[in-house]
Amino acid sequence: MGLFGKKKTQENCCSHTTATATDTGAAGTTSGIKVLGSGCAKCNELEAATKAALAELGIDTTIDHVTDFAQIASYGVMTTPALVVDGKVVSYGKVLKPEEVKALLQKVRG
């Protein structure tokens, strides 16, 4: 019978979920740019888009790719990939285009 079949679950790109979501980053991490995700194709696409946006803006900054689930959870991110700018989660759950990343960087950094 179909009543006792396996439960279907919906997964995001990296299968990371946490119980809470906040807009602030982990304690002690207030500067720089981070991509949060396991290293899947979507996370790598976000990292590439971020590099392209930084190049267009003429900003020479390294991008940290955080793959440790405990660190990702400390940001309160529910879905990955996520983008963190200066300790603040500015996007999560989708791959941004370079233009979108550029707009977010300009908004956060003024």
Side-chain angles (χ1 to χ4, degrees):
M1 290 174 53
L3 295 175
F4 300 105
K6 288 188 177 183
K7 221 182 210 183
K8 292 183 181 180
T9 59
Q10 182 178 358
E11 296 181 3
N12 58 33
C13 82
C14 298
S15 300
H16 291 303
T17 58
T18 60
T20 61
T22 62
D23 289 336
T24 58
T29 53
T30 57
S31 65
I33 298 174
K34 295 177 176 35
V35 172
L36 310 179
S38 68
C40 69
K42 289 183 178 184
C43 298
N44 292 331
E45 285 179 46
L46 178 59
E47 185 173 0
T50 304
K51 285 180 183 178
L54 289 171
E56 286 180 27
L57 292 171
I59 301 172
D60 186 25
T61 302
T62 59
I63 300 170
D64 294 328
H65 195 129
V66 179
T67 57
D68 179 48
F69 179 70
Q71 287 182 324
I72 293 170
S74 72
Y75 283 93
V77 171
M78 295 183 70
T79 56
T80 58
L83 181 64
V84 178
V85 178
D86 298 335
K88 181 178 180 181
V89 177
V90 295
S91 174
Y92 60 90
K94 64 180 181 177
V95 178
L96 301 172
K97 295 178 183 175
E99 298 81 30
E100 294 171 311
V101 175
K102 199 163 111 173
L104 287 171
L105 287 170
Q106 290 171 334
K107 181 179 178 183
V108 171
R109 291 196 169 176

